Amino acid sequence: MLSQAAASAPAAPLALRELLVEAGDLKRVRSAGRFGSIAERLFARGWAHLTGGVPPEEVALEITATALAATRLCDLDEAFLSAAGLTDEQVTGVLVAGFDAVTEPVDPALRERLRERLRNRREMAEGRVPAFVAALAEQPRAGVTCPGKPRILFEPPENHAEHCLVVAVYGVVLSPFYRADPGTVFLAAMAHHFHNAAMPDAGFTGEMLLGDLLGPVMRETTEWALDELEPELRGEVERARAVLPDDATAEGRAFHAADAIDRVLQIAQHLRGASTTMGQVLDDMELVHAGPVKDFHDRVLRDMRIP
């Protein structure tokens, strides 16, 4: 049983809320010539590094730094900026500026470690991308389900690769608050839906209808994904997944906080879009923004009675 002091202490760091809201949009950002969302691509990249033998903590820092920089920069990433003719110093400046724009609330020590990944970028080994990566990217999430009630679906649905990546990034960012090992949290999150590479997602409702059969089905389908990994990496993944069942460890708390936050923010994003007003778009977000033709734009909209 928790002590009174522990029960009254914050269970999560409120200061990180806005960053997590914004970073979750990596599940929805796409660009011409690139397949899938940024989150989906970072999920595949993370697993390529892991199968290439890169230690999980190194992968965690690399992918998290990249994701946080992309929160504002989107696909204005190292590959594009370099191809567009920027010098290495200029590329670094842009990436660090994007990172700094959103990460002020991050634990200072972790923030510096992540920024260092962008300042001193390095080549990291890549191995084969396991088949479960593409399967998870093709597997849509169930939406909102509750036993005995029809599901609530929001379009377009996120996929399991996107969810796992965002939970992994959230977990790393949250890890200092829980004094958790970021590499373990990251790896657990990247692997926590292994079963859904093969198992269609019917949500909580489907799980309850399976009843006692749920455990065996999940174990079998999880094993299929684990079988794709070489013995050393498989052992690391299994040890990381040991934190998933409960919140008895710091790593378990960091993972479950990240998972719950992402699940609810995903739905909040749909509701936020549906409730956005034209006043917010035109006034707060300056859809028709300052520039040499701003006055003309305003006159056109007024005379056309738009909105």
Side-chain angles (χ1 to χ4, degrees):
M1 181 179 293
L2 291 175
S3 67
Q4 184 174 356
S8 62
L14 178 60
L16 289 171
R17 182 187 186 281
E18 294 309 310
L19 170 60
L20 302 185
V21 170
E22 194 168 351
D25 282 338
L26 295 177
K27 292 188 280 189
R28 293 169 276 276
V29 178
R30 291 169 168 76
S31 297
R34 305 196 188 195
F35 183 80
S37 67
I38 291 178
E40 187 177 322
R41 284 182 264 124
L42 286 178
F43 182 72
R45 178 173 157 187
W47 276 108
H49 289 321
L50 289 166
T51 63
V54 181
E57 184 162 329
E58 290 294 300
V59 181
L61 295 174
E62 179 77 12
I63 296 298
T64 300
T66 302
L68 294 180
T71 295
R72 292 281 172 87
L73 289 169
C74 299
D75 272 324
L76 298 179
D77 58 7
E78 179 181 3
F80 169 78
L81 296 171
S82 298
L86 273 63
T87 66
D88 188 66
E89 183 179 359
Q90 290 171 325
V91 171
T92 297
V94 172
L95 295 177
V96 171
F99 176 88
D100 286 346
V102 297
T103 56
E104 192 277 332
V106 174
D107 172 81
L110 175 61
R111 188 179 191 231
E112 184 55 32
R113 293 182 73 192
L114 294 170
R115 189 194 282 112
E116 186 63 21
R117 306 296 299 200
L118 300 174
R119 281 198 297 246
N120 293 289
R121 300 184 308 283
R122 67 208 75 175
E123 290 290 330
M124 293 175 61
E126 293 191 357
R128 64 176 183 81
V129 178
F132 62 70
V133 169
L136 287 167
E138 293 174 0
Q139 191 75 273
R141 302 266 290 158
V144 182
T145 69
C146 181
K149 300 178 181 178
R151 76 180 57 220
I152 301 173
L153 290 174
F154 293 93
E155 295 291 340
E158 63 178 325
N159 63 52
H160 279 273
E162 292 167 332
H163 168 67
C164 289
L165 185 282
V166 170
V167 172
V169 169
Y170 284 3
V172 172
V173 173
L174 290 165
S175 61
F177 180 84
Y178 299 101
R179 300 181 182 179
D181 175 66
T184 300
V185 178
F186 179 86
L187 192 55
M190 291 283 279
H192 80 286
H193 273 283
F194 266 6
H195 57 286
N196 285 119
M199 180 181 179
D201 189 356
F204 184 41
T205 297
E207 292 176 355
M208 291 302 96
L209 290 172
L210 279 170
D212 292 342
L213 301 175
L214 175 64
V217 169
M218 288 184 64
R219 284 192 294 272
E220 179 70 13
T221 50
T222 296
E223 194 71 17
W224 295 346
L226 288 169
D227 284 345
E228 295 188 49
L229 303 177
E230 295 298 326
E232 184 175 352
L233 178 56
R234 176 180 176 137
E236 291 179 306
V237 169
E238 289 177 321
R239 286 189 290 275
R241 282 176 51 89
V243 310
L244 297 179
D246 54 49
D247 61 357
T249 62
E251 290 73 25
R253 288 188 288 278
F255 163 77
H256 284 290
D259 185 47
I261 290 168
D262 182 58
R263 275 189 284 157
V264 178
L265 285 183
Q266 171 67 19
I267 305 306
Q269 185 273 336
H270 287 283
L271 301 179
R272 186 171 73 246
S275 63
T276 299
T277 66
M278 191 58 72
Q280 289 174 292
V281 171
L282 288 175
D283 300 331
D284 298 343
M285 300 299 292
E286 300 182 65
L287 179 63
V288 181
H289 50 76
V293 293
K294 172 74 161 62
D295 289 342
F296 178 67
H297 285 167
D298 287 342
R299 287 167 50 209
V300 167
L301 294 173
R302 183 183 65 244
D303 292 345
M304 289 295 291
R305 299 182 185 178
I306 300 172

